[in-house]
Amino acid sequence: MQLSEQELVRREKLRQLRELGINPYPADLFPVNNTSKRIKSEFETGKKVIIAGRLMRKKIQGKASFGEIQDSEGRIQVYFNRDEICPGEDKMLYNDLFKKLLDLGDFIGVEGELFTTEVGEKTVLVKDFKLLSKALKPLPLPKVDAEGKEHDAFVDPEMRYRQRYADLAVNPHVKEVFVKRTKLFNAMRNFFNDSGYFEVETPILQPIPGGAAARPFMTHHNSLDIPLYMRIANELYLKRLIVGGFDGVYEFSKNFRNEGMDRTHNPEFTAMEIYVAYKDYNWMMDFCEKLLEHCAIAVNGTADATFGEHNVSFKAPYKRITMADSIKEFTGFNITGKTETEIFDAAKGMGIEVDATMGKGKLIDEIFGEKCEGNYIQPTFITDYPKEMSPLCKEHRENPELTERFELMVCGKEIANAYSELNDPIDQRERFEHQLKLAQKGDDEATEFIDHDFLRALEYGMPPTSGMGIGMDRLIMFLTNNQSIQEVLFFPQMKPEKKALAISDDAKEVLELLTKVTKTELDTLKVQAGLSNKKWDKAIKELTKNTLAKVEKTDDGLFVEVV
């Protein structure tokens, strides 16, 4: 491990602390009785307080110094006076520990009294302090110039997501997103509980990945010698509970789908699913809009939210339109009564990429996704999906080609999906078999499994039921104005981190020159580098060996470029 100069200095301070008999990582309890926020809101001059947190500012002024401690609720100024901290002859606590051995980012505990400075700053006069944890790596704090402008802020998204711990420490505003996320879950849970529904847990490791059309993650159970799949949805298990006699069940579930990653998709995500007996999708639409209005107010104090350039109102009621009417409105094509061939030709004529593996439902889904979805900014229920798109949904009571299903669209994205649930076991078996044929045809979104145990459950009888799923990550994105799902996940999935290569300073200088031009003549780069022949040969060999650069021979000579 190659340490930076600052890291080496901090390790030397660690050694000195131990020589002084100071444990840099004490195990005993520190009796915190206040927070920065509480001190400010309940401020009383002379009040004794005990607080703890990171040292985030340190301004030494001889025998007296100011600092700033950051705890879980904010920051508070602290004032270190040598004679207050060290009233006797021994001044080590101030002169050595505070002035020389404490660094920004170290956790300290402080006992003191409250006072207000001449400029009105609420401050803790330190009577005693203790090192609670030594930070060996400097936090990526921004630099502030003489004019008060910040530079080198920790804003690179990839670095922030990989090092969320550092992100939260130096960008406290990021924490507010996750506070609101928890408020959303609490608000939704309270709404369901007040409605009389029961929170449950269902398996994450499943013998058959059901309840959605998605590629699963697969593992192997050694003792049973069987394959198991990470949950892609919990729908079929929750319906089993309705069969068993629960009138309403819900679950916040971690789901896993072995598919692509982008700004709105993470392989691991959180969904909420709820199933209520003796209800239909019309009731669920009413329930959904009341739920989301309640949640928006709980999170932001208002039913209105800002997402990018859009102002979105979650106040009920929401617009409702059938999928057929939506497609007709935005394309002029009426899908009602059309054959698979007719829909295929129409989609192709609209410039939509289609292929022979796509069934009727997939084709309609592609048309809607390409031509209609993005037009719905305000919350809108898209209803009455074709039967081919909804293998778990009850047939429409008025049109056998359709199902009683809705999706809720906001800012061109789906955040809720709901059905009048299919409870006819014979119809359900036929739908599963049709999905199996589509999978065999090559449709990678069709399910390849038939859950015979679920069919057996339906044969015992399931009452009329409506179910709904909500993507919690996507919903909190809308409520906190975040365009990327990575911003609302503490630890989003990332590509493997590239290890820093240990190359010489000469090689680093050559690489820096090369990155400015990407590709250049070898001799030109050698002149710019100004290295001796021996150093040049060594540097270029290092870069090519570590696949940071490559040399190519052309008719015009030797060229080098960044890999």
Side-chain angles (χ1 to χ4, degrees):
M1 180 175 64
Q2 195 170 22
L3 299 176
S4 68
E5 186 178 343
Q6 285 192 56
E7 288 173 307
L8 291 169
V9 168
R10 289 185 180 224
R11 277 166 169 74
E12 171 59 22
K13 290 181 181 182
L14 187 72
R15 186 191 64 76
Q16 292 177 36
L17 284 166
R18 286 182 166 135
E19 278 190 357
L20 289 170
I22 298 171
N23 183 353
Y25 305 105
D28 48 315
L29 172 150
F30 189 78
V32 174
N33 66 10
N34 255 286
T35 65
S36 58
K37 185 178 180 180
R38 186 175 165 193
I39 286 172
K40 292 174 182 177
S41 63
E42 301 175 11
F43 188 83
E44 184 182 329
T45 299
K47 180 180 178 181
K48 290 180 168 54
V49 298
I50 305 175
I51 61 169
R54 285 188 188 272
L55 183 65
M56 299 298 278
R57 183 169 65 87
K58 180 181 172 187
K59 188 176 182 182
I60 297 174
Q61 298 172 317
K63 297 179 182 179
S65 305
F66 282 98
E68 200 168 43
I69 286 180
Q70 178 174 289
D71 62 14
S72 64
E73 295 187 352
R75 293 189 181 190
I76 187 75
Q77 182 167 275
V78 285
Y79 176 62
F80 292 83
N81 183 290
R82 189 185 68 182
D83 296 331
E84 290 283 352
I85 295 169
C86 311
E89 292 296 319
D90 184 1
K91 306 297 182 183
M92 183 276 292
L93 196 59
Y94 181 83
N95 289 344
D96 295 320
L97 179 55
F98 174 72
K99 287 179 71 174
K100 298 176 183 176
L101 300 178
L102 280 191
D103 290 301
L104 298 187
D106 290 353
F107 279 90
I108 63 170
V110 165
E111 296 182 43
E113 295 179 0
L114 302 184
F115 77 102
T116 305
T117 65
E118 292 180 359
V119 294
E121 181 83 13
K122 294 173 180 176
T123 306
V124 180
L125 170 61
V126 179
K127 295 290 187 177
D128 193 15
F129 73 96
K130 182 178 181 179
L131 174 63
L132 302 178
S133 181
K134 181 70 182 166
L136 297 184
K137 186 179 283 290
L139 287 170
L141 290 165
K143 311 291 187 296
V144 181
D145 62 22
E147 298 176 357
K149 294 180 181 178
E150 282 193 353
H151 302 276
D152 301 325
F154 192 58
V155 294
D156 179 71
E158 183 171 342
M159 293 291 289
R160 288 179 49 242
Y161 304 153
R162 286 192 191 282
Q163 301 182 36
R164 182 67 83 187
Y165 37 86
D167 185 32
L168 291 165
V170 303
N171 296 321
H173 64 277
V174 171
K175 186 178 179 182
E176 184 59 28
V177 172
F178 297 99
V179 170
K180 288 186 173 184
R181 183 185 174 103
T182 296
K183 286 182 178 179
L184 171 62
F185 279 75
N186 290 342
M188 195 172 282
R189 182 174 276 115
N190 291 338
F191 192 89
F192 294 151
N193 291 345
D194 291 345
S195 299
Y197 306 133
F198 193 65
E199 185 171 9
V200 298
E201 292 180 300
T202 62
I204 292 176
L205 285 176
Q206 302 180 351
I208 292 175
R215 187 181 294 113
F217 287 94
M218 184 178 176
T219 186
H220 186 83
H221 192 291
N222 291 333
S223 296
L224 296 177
D225 193 25
I226 59 170
L228 288 175
Y229 302 88
M230 299 287 279
R231 172 170 61 195
I232 59 173
N234 54 352
E235 176 171 344
L236 303 188
Y237 284 93
L238 294 176
K239 287 182 183 177
R240 285 172 168 93
L241 297 179
I242 297 295
V243 170
F246 285 95
D247 281 351
V249 292
Y250 71 93
E251 181 179 16
F252 294 99
S253 66
K254 280 288 186 183
N255 296 342
F256 308 85
R257 297 184 182 178
N258 196 359
E259 298 173 341
M261 291 166 52
D262 57 33
R263 291 171 66 83
T264 59
H265 294 88
N266 194 64
E268 173 185 351
F269 64 97
T270 305
M272 184 291 305
E273 292 204 26
I274 182 168
Y275 292 82
V276 186
Y278 313 113
K279 309 297 184 187
D280 67 4
Y281 79 138
N282 293 310
W283 176 89
M284 189 62 84
M285 274 187 270
D286 296 337
F287 185 77
C288 176
E289 58 194 10
K290 291 172 189 171
L291 168 69
L292 293 186
E293 180 180 350
H294 167 82
C295 289
I297 292 170
V299 170
N300 290 325
T302 173
D304 297 329
T306 300
F307 187 70
E309 60 185 14
H310 303 299
N311 293 317
V312 178
S313 174
F314 284 96
K315 185 172 178 57
Y318 305 157
K319 177 184 175 181
R320 304 178 186 192
I321 184 172
T322 68
M323 175 166 275
D325 286 344
S326 175
I327 290 175
K328 189 174 181 180
E329 178 183 352
F330 292 108
T331 71
F333 179 69
N334 188 352
I335 62 171
T336 305
K338 297 296 191 296
T339 65
E340 183 177 311
T341 301
E342 288 173 319
I343 296 172
F344 181 93
D345 292 339
K348 202 169 182 181
M350 295 174 198
I352 297 171
E353 284 189 27
V354 291
D355 59 60
T357 68
M358 294 181 179
K360 190 174 179 181
K362 176 71 171 170
L363 291 167
I364 293 171
D365 191 31
E366 289 293 314
I367 293 172
F368 179 78
E370 286 282 331
K371 301 297 182 181
C372 309
E373 200 171 75
N375 296 298
Y376 297 107
I377 304 304
Q378 297 304 318
T380 304
F381 291 117
I382 309 298
T383 69
D384 301 349
Y385 282 52
K387 187 183 288 187
E388 294 83 357
M389 295 178 67
S390 314
L392 297 166
C393 187
K394 187 181 282 290
E395 183 180 281
H396 198 283
R397 65 197 78 177
E398 296 173 1
N399 186 340
E401 290 190 0
L402 304 177
T403 56
E404 296 199 347
R405 173 185 178 185
F406 73 77
E407 287 186 318
L408 179 64
M409 298 291 167
V410 178
C411 293
K413 298 292 181 183
E414 172 235 325
I415 60 170
N417 185 22
Y419 308 154
S420 293
E421 299 296 334
L422 179 58
N423 60 347
D424 178 342
I426 295 173
D427 189 0
Q428 181 65 85
R429 185 179 296 276
E430 290 172 354
R431 304 267 196 103
F432 278 156
E433 288 171 350
H434 178 67
Q435 284 286 302
L436 203 58
K437 288 176 183 176
L438 290 176
Q440 290 165 353
K441 186 180 174 182
D443 186 344
D444 60 3
E445 291 192 6
T447 181
E448 301 176 53
F449 303 92
I450 293 180
D451 190 335
H452 292 286
D453 179 68
F454 174 66
L455 290 172
R456 177 170 58 193
L458 287 187
E459 288 172 353
Y460 280 109
M462 185 175 86
T465 299
S466 184
M468 175 174 66
I470 291 177
M472 299 300 290
D473 305 320
R474 193 171 288 181
L475 179 55
I476 197 61
M477 286 169 64
F478 288 123
L479 292 175
T480 58
N481 193 17
N482 277 298
Q483 309 290 318
S484 171
I485 194 172
Q486 286 87 358
E487 291 288 352
V488 300
L489 302 175
F490 270 130
F491 304 106
Q493 191 65 46
M494 304 288 291
K495 292 179 181 178
E497 188 172 3
K498 290 182 179 178
K499 292 183 179 179
L501 293 170
I503 59 175
S504 67
D505 289 341
D506 289 337
K508 287 177 184 176
E509 286 182 22
V510 173
L511 183 60
E512 189 175 341
L513 288 170
L514 187 55
T515 53
K516 292 176 182 177
V517 293
T518 307
K519 184 176 182 178
T520 186
E521 285 185 283
L522 192 67
D523 289 341
T524 302
L525 185 63
K526 182 178 178 181
V527 171
Q528 290 175 340
L531 299 173
S532 67
N533 288 336
K534 187 176 180 180
K535 286 185 174 182
W536 164 258
D537 289 342
K538 185 181 177 183
I540 204 70
K541 282 178 182 176
E542 278 189 78
L543 295 179
T544 54
K545 181 182 177 181
N546 289 301
T547 63
L548 296 171
K550 68 176 182 179
V551 178
E552 186 179 18
K553 187 175 182 180
T554 70
D555 293 338
D556 297 321
L558 288 173
F559 284 81
V560 60
E561 63 179 312
V562 176
V563 174

